[in-house]
Amino acid sequence: MKRRWHTRQTTFRQLEILLAVAERRSVTAAAEALHLAQPTVSTQVAKLAEAVGAPLFEQVGRQMHLTEVGEDVVRAARSLFDVLDGLEMRLAQRAGLEVGRLRIAVVTTAKYLIPRWLGSFCAQHPGITPELQIANRGEVIRRLQHNLDDLYVFSHPPYELDIHAEPLTDNPLVMIAPTGHRLAGRRLNWSDLAGERLLMRETGSGTRYAVERFLAQQAWPLPDHVTIASTEAIKEAVAAGLGVGIVSRHALTHMAPGNITELDVAGLPIPNSWYLVTLRGKQLSPAALAFKQHVGEQLAKVPGHGAA
């Protein structure tokens, strides 16, 4: 009976903090995401562990891992918040989209696409609270597997999971070089790139997957290459003369004009698309359904937009 009493001292905020730490495997990252001081997060996790009566995390090297008890508590917390989300969804249905929460996780290249739609959607529905997670493909897959969000955006959906994927729009991948590069302004073949250092996204990213698959299909060799973990860093490195890169054409609109140029390489751009993904059978909230409709309306306004 005493243990049950202690468990009842647990607050929703403590469980929310626990989930944030469990998802990020870092107190510092969880504190940043929750806009809390790091000692506050550590204290609340410690209080929750005290109430449960067992450690929730263990430190292995620099990495935090959930204990067996911690995993049980996390599963229970997610179930609890799922119930509350269901209640919120039903209340939102009665309120006609006046209130609600919209959780979206997108791969990093889609950060050039989704925020614009999310901004216009939230302007129309100020009562909706958006949560946007931007990460590499592997992390977004992990979030999908744990059902942490309403909607997901991939350039290469993980069809090995039980998902439903709807094409959004084209996401062509192009070759870029610094302005004034020796190959700029010429019609090129892939062989003309011999001797150039290729800057590529990390293994596991959708862009890297698309590039490697395309080169394999064309039987083209992969040049000497350097892995760089973000599109922004690739653009800056290209502008600085470190090499040539392959990025989403949409990313070029977010670069200072005159720093980089698109190379005209036969066979490029590499065909690629974005997809809106949901877990099959997931009951979407009114906010998520309304956002999907909003995206469709925005795409319909783009002349000749390329749906996959």
Side-chain angles (χ1 to χ4, degrees):
M1 197 65 183
K2 186 177 180 181
R3 173 61 54 81
R4 184 184 176 108
W5 182 87
H6 278 305
T7 304
R8 285 179 174 173
Q9 307 313 302
T10 300
T11 67
F12 287 125
R13 187 57 167 165
Q14 287 174 341
L15 294 176
E16 182 181 36
I17 290 171
L18 171 67
L19 291 180
V21 176
E23 288 172 15
R24 294 163 179 82
R25 295 294 194 269
S26 166
V27 170
T28 301
E32 292 175 355
L34 295 171
H35 306 291
L36 295 173
Q38 184 173 332
T40 300
V41 172
S42 297
T43 298
Q44 292 305 312
V45 171
K47 286 183 177 180
L48 181 56
E50 183 180 358
V52 171
L56 302 176
F57 293 96
E58 57 184 353
Q59 194 81 26
V60 180
R62 296 184 178 181
Q63 188 73 45
M64 294 183 69
H65 296 272
L66 285 165
T67 63
E68 187 174 347
V69 171
E71 290 178 350
D72 281 344
V73 177
V74 164
R75 280 193 293 269
R78 284 177 177 154
S79 297
L80 176 60
F81 283 118
D82 283 345
V83 171
L84 293 176
D85 285 345
L87 173 61
E88 185 178 50
M89 181 172 66
R90 293 190 296 274
L91 294 176
Q93 288 172 330
R94 294 191 181 104
L97 264 187
E98 294 303 318
V99 295
R101 191 180 304 273
L102 176 62
R103 298 183 179 92
I104 306 174
V106 306
V107 293
T108 50
T109 54
K111 71 181 182 181
Y112 305 109
L113 184 75
I114 299 301
R116 182 172 67 251
W117 293 336
L118 190 57
S120 57
F121 175 78
C122 290
Q124 294 176 15
H125 306 286
I128 300 298
T129 302
E131 294 181 10
L132 178 62
Q133 303 290 333
I134 300 173
N136 66 20
R137 183 174 183 269
E139 174 62 17
V140 178
I141 288 176
R142 188 189 70 81
R143 295 188 65 86
L144 173 65
Q145 289 173 319
H146 288 92
N147 191 26
L148 298 180
D149 309 281
D150 301 307
L151 303 169
Y152 305 83
V153 177
F154 289 91
S155 55
H156 293 277
Y159 288 112
E160 67 274 13
L161 302 179
D162 191 16
I163 62 170
H164 177 67
E166 300 177 30
L168 276 178
T169 190
D170 289 340
N171 176 32
L173 305 179
V174 298
M175 178 78 72
I176 58 173
T179 299
H181 190 275
R182 67 180 183 87
L183 298 177
R186 295 169 46 191
R187 178 64 170 171
L188 305 170
N189 293 314
W190 188 256
S191 58
D192 294 321
L193 299 170
E196 293 293 329
R197 182 186 295 111
L198 179 62
L199 310 182
M200 297 184 67
R201 286 292 304 275
E202 75 282 7
T203 300
S205 78
T207 300
R208 176 68 172 261
Y209 177 84
V211 171
E212 291 181 339
R213 185 179 67 172
F214 178 77
L215 294 181
Q217 290 172 344
Q218 302 297 322
W220 291 349
L222 178 64
D224 175 37
H225 61 280
V226 173
T227 296
I228 298 181
S230 80
T231 298
E232 296 303 315
I234 288 178
K235 292 190 297 181
E236 294 296 336
V238 167
L242 184 59
V244 297
I246 297 180
V247 299
S248 167
R249 181 175 279 162
H250 291 273
L252 302 186
T253 61
H254 296 260
M255 187 75 182
N259 287 351
I260 56 178
T261 186
E262 180 180 334
L263 295 181
D264 183 11
V265 182
L268 271 64
I270 297 174
N272 199 37
S273 299
W274 279 305
Y275 295 82
L276 189 64
V277 172
T278 55
L279 283 173
R280 194 175 299 278
K282 181 179 178 68
Q283 183 180 4
L284 293 180
S285 68
L289 292 171
F291 181 72
K292 287 182 62 177
Q293 180 179 349
H294 179 77
V295 168
E297 293 170 352
Q298 297 304 304
L299 286 172
K301 296 177 182 178
V302 180
H305 92 85

